[in-house]
Amino acid sequence: MRLSLSTYEMELVRKQIGREPLESEWKVIDALWSEHCSYKSSKIFLRTFPTGGENVIMGIEDWQDAGAVDLGDGLALVLKVESHNHPSAIDPFNGAATGVGGIIRDIVSKGAKPIALLDMIRVGDLGSERNRWLLKGIISGIGFYGNSIGVPVVGGELSFDESYNDNPLVDVACAGIVKKDKIIPSVVKKSGLKLVLVGLTGIDGLGGASFASRKLSGEDEIGAVQIADPFAGKIIIDATLEVSDKVEAIKDLGGGGLAVAVTEMANGLGANIKLENVPLRVKEMTPEDIIVSETQERMLFAVEEGNVQSVCKSFEYYEYPCAVIGEITEDKIIRFTFEGKEIVSLPSELLLSPPLYMWGTSTERRGMKPRIAVEIGQAIRKVLTHPDMVSKEWAYSQFDYEVGISTVIKPGEADASLVKLPNGKFLALKGDANPELCLYNSYECGKAIFAEVYRNLATVGSIGVAAVDHLQFGDPRRPEVYQDFVNSVRGISEASKVLNVPIVGGKVSFYNENLRGEAIKPTPLIVMAGISEKFFRPKIDEDQYIVLLGITKDQLAGSLYHKLFGGEEETPNEILYEDLITSKFVTQLIREGKVEFVKDISKGGIIGSLWPIIVKGYSVSLNIDSIIGASRVESKLFSENGGRFILLTQNLEEIISRSRDNGIFSSQIGKVKGREKIGLSLNDKFLDLTEEVDKYYNFLEGMQ
């Protein structure tokens, strides 16, 4: 029996229940007390997040599967982010596919129809055959599941860093729509309700929650990975939405299987479960394995007795297993029995109250590199051909991003995706992380990634209304790792308050390390949703003026330039009010039709923001001296400090005047030129980038 429980925790259990738990009970406690399910090393700090707001219907509440905000017109948005990092490191296809299935069921469990998916993928150096195998499997798994069930993958990220060798990060977010008075809770408040399980239970995914709460060992742990079945997943979606008005609560069976789903749904009450009633995929499964199996495509419903037959009838129509396996009780004991024999009998309070930890921290500065001398033209070429800057069409072309005919801005077209809602408004979605910056200053990074996603939504005319976070780190018992975690939470919390975007849900993933025991770069990630009244599609054309909003600073640490060329550089200081003011100004310009193209300045600095124009076949003239703020040329071109946008417009004088009236520094820094040459003119010195554009489109073609 392999457990993630510490000796201290095991002794704590013995004292609380006054006896030695059975092996089956240890497995249940291990699942409930795992980092994956309990947040025992993070919950104290997560409580600092601002989770409320006038539009928040369901925020970060114990055991709720997703958050929800009011969109007006009687509609609510349900939003969630999850990951399947460890499973994808073992079996990338099924690991990624079941990650998609799990996040979709989280949305459906609120009674919401899933309308859009985002995938944020980070893998190691593509020079490694294993990393190429991982990436191919991850992309195939996401495409297989999403395409099969008809939920569009409308955007995401694909990033590369040797930090993710052995331990890729596979984040998936999902958005759904539901009538706001029809949202279903994940927990119950009264006893006597019948517990109805739909789907077959098998031997895949055994101990998955525990597996996700410890380091990768290199041993064969394939049995902890669930197997994807999107065709069964489609039945789950349709039938669950059909019966949602007949149930009191819905819980997706994810990490920890029945052990976690039953305990969390009971919400401090008790439950009696008869394991012989559980429909099985594999005959003669042991009772212990039935309890902790994480087989996918299953849901748990709490149902009034009079509605049980009606609920099961909807699933039986699809010949999908549906069975009453137990009921909610008053006695606050979680019991699992098998043919009359008691397998587990544990207090709800014990299972839902693991010890909470605050580990030691370290303020040691890390990551600074010696400077490599480089000429500006060479630096531009190196930055623009970095794998993070190349076309990701190879990946998103494998996803059906137009199913449902509601996707109006598709992957690769802008900084955020845009989906049309049933009420005629538009939902903007984006996910972002910046592990390079977090390595240098995780507090500033926490602020910066939240602000960047906020700016990304502004580039399509949208204001953020809700966010979810995923905090991904190494072993929290390492002082430098825990310091990064704590500081990133501080930064995210501060940005959420200043930008007035509540955090309605999230996830923490620790123990992300390679097989040599080295932690990944700290990778907190933010997914944000925004609402726009107007559809805006970016347009690039020659003779457009290039306007820079915001001040460029001599702050290069954590930038792509600094990653490549090093130096003792200053870390960007995110001034959140600059992001707030410039984003709202940009949104207003878009709504008035005053700009044709907007790009926030982030990875690659100003050069990176001009790159989408150049790869469309245009040349760009750039006057370096007109860039306000920074004193050094490399800072002017490559600094990634926040609060800035590139605009393409024909309304130059009006925008310059109005920006200054709004307290925003602005200047014309260049112009879009014709297609006779492809490249960049720096103070009239032309840099031909034809070869770099070819690499942009062809870098990943060998992955086919």
mmCIF file of all heavy atoms in Angstrom, residues 542-560:
data_model
loop_
_atom_site.group_PDB
_atom_site.id
_atom_site.type_symbol
_atom_site.label_atom_id
_atom_site.label_comp_id
_atom_site.label_asym_id
_atom_site.label_seq_id
_atom_site.Cartn_x
_atom_site.Cartn_y
_atom_site.Cartn_z
ATOM 1 N N GLU A 542 -1.407 48.211 -44.777
ATOM 2 C CA GLU A 542 -0.287 49.132 -44.914
ATOM 3 C C GLU A 542 -0.736 50.567 -44.713
ATOM 4 O O GLU A 542 -1.917 50.908 -44.881
ATOM 5 C CB GLU A 542 0.397 48.969 -46.269
ATOM 6 C CG GLU A 542 -0.479 49.095 -47.476
ATOM 7 C CD GLU A 542 0.302 48.795 -48.746
ATOM 8 O OE1 GLU A 542 1.108 49.649 -49.159
ATOM 9 O OE2 GLU A 542 0.111 47.702 -49.306
ATOM 10 N N ASP A 543 0.225 51.384 -44.288
ATOM 11 C CA ASP A 543 0.041 52.810 -43.995
ATOM 12 C C ASP A 543 -0.705 53.070 -42.686
ATOM 13 O O ASP A 543 -1.067 54.211 -42.395
ATOM 14 C CB ASP A 543 -0.663 53.540 -45.144
ATOM 15 C CG ASP A 543 0.201 53.586 -46.398
ATOM 16 O OD1 ASP A 543 1.433 53.667 -46.253
ATOM 17 O OD2 ASP A 543 -0.360 53.525 -47.502
ATOM 18 N N GLN A 544 -0.952 52.033 -41.892
ATOM 19 C CA GLN A 544 -1.495 52.268 -40.556
ATOM 20 C C GLN A 544 -0.385 52.829 -39.663
ATOM 21 O O GLN A 544 0.771 52.415 -39.741
ATOM 22 C CB GLN A 544 -2.026 50.964 -39.947
ATOM 23 C CG GLN A 544 -3.302 50.435 -40.590
ATOM 24 C CD GLN A 544 -3.649 49.045 -40.087
ATOM 25 O OE1 GLN A 544 -2.765 48.211 -39.906
ATOM 26 N NE2 GLN A 544 -4.932 48.781 -39.873
ATOM 27 N N TYR A 545 -0.766 53.776 -38.806
ATOM 28 C CA TYR A 545 0.177 54.304 -37.829
ATOM 29 C C TYR A 545 0.316 53.325 -36.662
ATOM 30 O O TYR A 545 -0.666 52.710 -36.234
ATOM 31 C CB TYR A 545 -0.295 55.661 -37.301
ATOM 32 C CG TYR A 545 -0.360 56.728 -38.351
ATOM 33 C CD1 TYR A 545 -1.589 57.164 -38.862
ATOM 34 C CD2 TYR A 545 0.807 57.325 -38.845
ATOM 35 C CE1 TYR A 545 -1.657 58.153 -39.832
ATOM 36 C CE2 TYR A 545 0.749 58.315 -39.816
ATOM 37 C CZ TYR A 545 -0.486 58.722 -40.310
ATOM 38 O OH TYR A 545 -0.544 59.701 -41.271
ATOM 39 N N ILE A 546 1.519 53.207 -36.154
ATOM 40 C CA ILE A 546 1.768 52.372 -34.977
ATOM 41 C C ILE A 546 1.915 53.282 -33.767
ATOM 42 O O ILE A 546 2.828 54.117 -33.705
ATOM 43 C CB ILE A 546 3.037 51.518 -35.140
ATOM 44 C CG1 ILE A 546 2.936 50.645 -36.390
ATOM 45 C CG2 ILE A 546 3.272 50.658 -33.902
ATOM 46 C CD1 ILE A 546 4.219 49.898 -36.722
ATOM 47 N N VAL A 547 0.995 53.135 -32.818
ATOM 48 C CA VAL A 547 0.985 53.971 -31.618
ATOM 49 C C VAL A 547 1.321 53.101 -30.410
ATOM 50 O O VAL A 547 0.778 52.005 -30.243
ATOM 51 C CB VAL A 547 -0.390 54.647 -31.416
ATOM 52 C CG1 VAL A 547 -0.423 55.426 -30.101
ATOM 53 C CG2 VAL A 547 -0.703 55.568 -32.592
ATOM 54 N N LEU A 548 2.215 53.605 -29.569
ATOM 55 C CA LEU A 548 2.558 52.935 -28.321
ATOM 56 C C LEU A 548 1.881 53.655 -27.162
ATOM 57 O O LEU A 548 2.046 54.870 -26.995
ATOM 58 C CB LEU A 548 4.074 52.937 -28.121
ATOM 59 C CG LEU A 548 4.585 52.487 -26.746
ATOM 60 C CD1 LEU A 548 4.238 51.028 -26.496
ATOM 61 C CD2 LEU A 548 6.092 52.718 -26.630
ATOM 62 N N LEU A 549 1.116 52.914 -26.381
ATOM 63 C CA LEU A 549 0.544 53.440 -25.146
ATOM 64 C C LEU A 549 1.368 52.933 -23.966
ATOM 65 O O LEU A 549 1.660 51.736 -23.882
ATOM 66 C CB LEU A 549 -0.901 52.972 -24.958
ATOM 67 C CG LEU A 549 -1.955 53.408 -25.971
ATOM 68 C CD1 LEU A 549 -3.323 52.884 -25.543
ATOM 69 C CD2 LEU A 549 -1.998 54.924 -26.119
ATOM 70 N N GLY A 550 1.718 53.838 -23.049
ATOM 71 C CA GLY A 550 2.410 53.431 -21.838
ATOM 72 C C GLY A 550 3.901 53.706 -21.869
ATOM 73 O O GLY A 550 4.478 54.026 -22.906
ATOM 74 N N ILE A 551 4.514 53.566 -20.700
ATOM 75 C CA ILE A 551 5.929 53.883 -20.519
ATOM 76 C C ILE A 551 6.761 52.601 -20.563
ATOM 77 O O ILE A 551 6.465 51.628 -19.871
ATOM 78 C CB ILE A 551 6.159 54.582 -19.166
ATOM 79 C CG1 ILE A 551 5.312 55.849 -19.068
ATOM 80 C CG2 ILE A 551 7.627 54.926 -18.974
ATOM 81 C CD1 ILE A 551 5.354 56.496 -17.708
ATOM 82 N N THR A 552 7.819 52.621 -21.361
ATOM 83 C CA THR A 552 8.751 51.494 -21.435
ATOM 84 C C THR A 552 9.868 51.714 -20.420
ATOM 85 O O THR A 552 10.400 52.821 -20.302
ATOM 86 C CB THR A 552 9.329 51.377 -22.848
ATOM 87 O OG1 THR A 552 8.242 51.210 -23.777
ATOM 88 C CG2 THR A 552 10.276 50.202 -22.957
ATOM 89 N N LYS A 553 10.204 50.665 -19.679
ATOM 90 C CA LYS A 553 11.137 50.811 -18.559
ATOM 91 C C LYS A 553 12.380 49.939 -18.744
ATOM 92 O O LYS A 553 12.335 48.917 -19.438
ATOM 93 C CB LYS A 553 10.427 50.446 -17.247
ATOM 94 C CG LYS A 553 9.179 51.292 -17.003
ATOM 95 C CD LYS A 553 8.359 50.791 -15.825
ATOM 96 C CE LYS A 553 7.065 51.578 -15.690
ATOM 97 N NZ LYS A 553 6.200 51.061 -14.602
ATOM 98 N N ASP A 554 13.463 50.357 -18.092
ATOM 99 C CA ASP A 554 14.714 49.599 -18.137
ATOM 100 C C ASP A 554 14.630 48.419 -17.172
ATOM 101 O O ASP A 554 15.365 48.343 -16.182
ATOM 102 C CB ASP A 554 15.889 50.505 -17.757
ATOM 103 C CG ASP A 554 16.242 51.489 -18.855
ATOM 104 O OD1 ASP A 554 16.438 51.046 -20.001
ATOM 105 O OD2 ASP A 554 16.307 52.699 -18.570
ATOM 106 N N GLN A 555 13.724 47.495 -17.471
ATOM 107 C CA GLN A 555 13.482 46.344 -16.593
ATOM 108 C C GLN A 555 13.400 45.083 -17.451
ATOM 109 O O GLN A 555 12.364 44.783 -18.034
ATOM 110 C CB GLN A 555 12.181 46.552 -15.806
ATOM 111 C CG GLN A 555 12.203 47.778 -14.896
ATOM 112 C CD GLN A 555 10.857 48.069 -14.261
ATOM 113 O OE1 GLN A 555 9.815 47.623 -14.739
ATOM 114 N NE2 GLN A 555 10.871 48.833 -13.186
ATOM 115 N N LEU A 556 14.496 44.348 -17.508
ATOM 116 C CA LEU A 556 14.582 43.219 -18.431
ATOM 117 C C LEU A 556 14.575 41.855 -17.752
ATOM 118 O O LEU A 556 14.403 40.834 -18.421
ATOM 119 C CB LEU A 556 15.847 43.339 -19.287
ATOM 120 C CG LEU A 556 15.772 44.319 -20.460
ATOM 121 C CD1 LEU A 556 17.151 44.518 -21.052
ATOM 122 C CD2 LEU A 556 14.810 43.822 -21.517
ATOM 123 N N ALA A 557 14.777 41.793 -16.440
ATOM 124 C CA ALA A 557 14.810 40.485 -15.764
ATOM 125 C C ALA A 557 13.488 39.764 -15.977
ATOM 126 O O ALA A 557 12.415 40.345 -15.881
ATOM 127 C CB ALA A 557 15.080 40.654 -14.275
ATOM 128 N N GLY A 558 13.577 38.471 -16.277
ATOM 129 C CA GLY A 558 12.367 37.686 -16.512
ATOM 130 C C GLY A 558 11.837 37.774 -17.921
ATOM 131 O O GLY A 558 10.853 37.111 -18.259
ATOM 132 N N SER A 559 12.458 38.576 -18.778
ATOM 133 C CA SER A 559 12.008 38.704 -20.165
ATOM 134 C C SER A 559 12.623 37.597 -21.015
ATOM 135 O O SER A 559 13.580 36.930 -20.615
ATOM 136 C CB SER A 559 12.412 40.065 -20.739
ATOM 137 O OG SER A 559 13.829 40.145 -20.853
ATOM 138 N N LEU A 560 12.089 37.403 -22.202
ATOM 139 C CA LEU A 560 12.659 36.431 -23.133
ATOM 140 C C LEU A 560 14.075 36.844 -23.523
ATOM 141 O O LEU A 560 14.972 35.998 -23.644
ATOM 142 C CB LEU A 560 11.765 36.309 -24.368
ATOM 143 C CG LEU A 560 12.215 35.337 -25.449
ATOM 144 C CD1 LEU A 560 12.465 33.940 -24.894
ATOM 145 C CD2 LEU A 560 11.171 35.275 -26.571
#
